[in-house]
Amino acid sequence: MSSERVSLPFKLYCLTVMTLVAATYNVVVRYTRIASAEIMYFSTTAVCMTEVIKLILSIGMLARESGTPSKLLADIKEQVLCNPGGLLKLSVPSVVYAVQNNMAFVALSNLDAAVYQVIYQLKIPCTALCMVIMLNRSLGKKQWFSICTLCVGVILVQFKPVEATKVKVEQNPFLGFMAIVVAVFCSGFAGVYFEKVLKSSDTSLWVRNIQMYLSGIACTLMGVLLNDGDKVIEHGFFYGYTPWVWFVVFMGSVGGLYTSIVVKYTDNIMKGFSAAAAIVLSTVASFFLFGLHITSTFLCGAILVCASIYLYGLPVSKECADTESKQKPITV
Ligand code: NCC
């Protein structure tokens, strides 16, 4: 499975969908957190529901892979239910992702989505560091330099002088900032850990996802109980769920699944680079299609992003081929 090859257009498609979903997700989360001060849903329940939907969708994908219902049941029994070692291995990133996903809500409840996106780019060098430490990947000076350049480039590309949004709820920017810092470390560690487990065996991506989402549901339920237990008992699990909140849950699920596909067929560094390239390309496309005004900050950022990609030495296909051939069996 780890040596399975897919076409370059398919990789680009997955990277683009993942980036677009992520951008939409952050904006919609922010909208649902500031739209109304009266009936506010419990964010912990939304994180938990996202894990449930991802589990259901992953079982559906495994069913496609297995072919018949009896084979699906056998696969689930053998590889998930009777494999406590696998469940335990995947419980590590699921705990870390549970923290990260909850932190994203804390951050987006206290900071503007644009500010959040900019600060969140710190995850690019953080992920690279985790890859070096955990996957024994070595990066040369040129590659480190290009990763830092990319980080600065993306920050400039996304930078908009933000006017403080008038919101009806109380905000704590410092808390929001601290939540992003925690999320950055969680994203780097959990992403690389998941990649390591996934690529160290031939186990299907969907089996790995099912293992992770099962413990993900348990962890996020703990989050609901610890943080909002009393209120959930009083008002109900789905208190304040508007169609927008369901949209958040849906986008969170689709985004998570695309992230897993992207990590399977490329790697976590590629994920960062491609997201950056997609942001630049979508802005350039908006310039031609919708006459979007391009600022000088954007231009500087776009040049830095392109230069960093060139410097890092991607073409996509070469990088992915290297990634696949360098993957030795690693035990976690
Ligand atoms: O931060 P990021 O990803 O690294 O977070 C990874 C998200 O993917 C989910 N995941 C990961 C592996 C896996 N096998 N299954 C999964 O469901 C994790 O639960 C976690 O939610 C990014 O690189 O910027 C990206 O950002 C997130 C999201 O925007 C941020 O975490 C903050 O809001 C994107 N997630 C969504 O759009 C839902 C992700 O696609 C890309």
Side-chain angles (χ1 to χ4, degrees):
M1 193 81 182
S2 51
S3 57
E4 199 180 306
R5 302 218 168 225
V6 291
S7 65
L8 184 58
F10 178 74
K11 286 177 189 172
L12 291 176
Y13 156 78
C14 292
L15 286 161
T16 310
V17 175
M18 185 200 75
T19 308
L20 292 180
V21 171
T24 315
Y25 176 75
N26 292 334
V27 173
V28 183
V29 169
R30 171 72 178 163
Y31 173 72
T32 59
R33 299 309 286 172
I34 59 168
S36 157
E38 284 122 47
I39 302 181
M40 181 57 72
Y41 65 100
F42 309 119
S43 60
T44 50
T45 63
V47 174
C48 182
M49 273 315 290
T50 306
E51 296 299 302
V52 174
I53 309 266
K54 285 191 290 191
L55 177 68
I56 296 169
L57 293 176
S58 296
I59 294 176
M61 293 305 290
L62 185 64
R64 268 185 53 165
E65 220 171 67
S66 303
T68 61
S70 55
K71 173 89 173 42
L72 170 69
L73 289 178
D75 282 346
I76 292 185
K77 188 173 167 218
E78 191 187 316
Q79 300 190 57
V80 182
L81 302 178
C82 299
N83 180 6
L87 281 172
L88 204 67
K89 236 185 233 181
L90 269 298
S91 64
V92 176
S94 78
V95 175
V96 180
Y97 273 140
V99 173
Q100 181 198 324
N101 291 331
N102 278 295
M103 286 301 124
F105 274 90
V106 174
L108 284 162
S109 304
N110 290 288
L111 289 170
D112 193 89
V115 177
Y116 172 82
Q117 296 260 53
V118 169
I119 305 175
Y120 196 53
Q121 297 315 316
L122 288 173
K123 75 171 189 296
I124 299 173
C126 181
T127 302
L129 197 67
C130 288
M131 289 196 78
V132 169
I133 297 169
M134 295 164 64
L135 293 184
N136 292 331
R137 291 272 297 271
S138 55
L139 295 177
K141 275 193 198 128
K142 191 181 80 174
Q143 285 167 316
W144 276 115
F145 180 70
S146 59
I147 285 169
C148 295
T149 314
L150 177 77
C151 200
V152 176
V154 182
I155 290 175
L156 289 180
V157 159
Q158 298 192 2
F159 179 79
K160 286 179 208 82
V162 242
E163 292 165 25
T165 0
K166 290 196 177 55
V167 291
K168 300 169 193 144
V169 288
E170 226 175 85
Q171 301 201 95
N172 181 344
F174 180 72
L175 179 67
F177 177 76
M178 291 316 289
I180 303 182
V181 172
V182 175
V184 160
F185 282 103
C186 290
S187 162
F189 172 81
V192 174
Y193 185 103
F194 182 77
E195 183 179 345
K196 187 169 175 170
V197 175
L198 185 67
K199 292 179 177 172
S200 62
S201 79
D202 280 345
T203 307
S204 152
L205 167 69
W206 304 110
V207 168
R208 289 299 188 203
N209 276 349
I210 292 169
Q211 289 170 331
M212 188 160 82
Y213 301 148
L214 274 177
S215 42
I217 293 173
C219 300
T220 50
L221 262 181
M222 284 286 286
V224 175
L225 285 177
L226 292 177
N227 215 44
D228 299 312
D230 296 345
K231 289 175 264 170
V232 166
I233 290 168
E234 192 185 338
H235 299 289
F237 192 89
F238 296 110
Y239 176 77
Y241 269 55
T242 60
W244 281 111
V245 179
W246 281 110
F247 187 60
V248 162
V249 170
F250 175 72
M251 289 308 257
S253 313
V254 174
L257 293 183
Y258 268 96
T259 305
S260 69
I261 300 172
V262 162
V263 168
K264 175 178 163 66
Y265 293 117
T266 66
D267 67 28
N268 274 288
I269 291 189
M270 275 287 296
K271 174 158 100 62
F273 270 96
S274 305
I279 292 163
V280 173
L281 288 179
S282 61
T283 314
V284 173
S286 309
F287 170 76
F288 286 110
L289 294 172
F290 313 115
L292 183 88
H293 175 65
I294 287 189
T295 61
S296 51
T297 331
F298 173 86
L299 268 184
C300 294
I303 291 168
L304 284 182
V305 168
C306 296
S308 68
I309 293 174
Y310 175 76
L311 215 80
Y312 189 84
L314 307 170
V316 181
S317 46
K318 175 183 171 291
E319 171 69 8
C320 293
D322 285 355
T323 311
E324 278 167 8
S325 63
K326 269 184 210 157
Q327 292 299 334
K328 318 176 216 77
I330 320 158
T331 38
V332 181

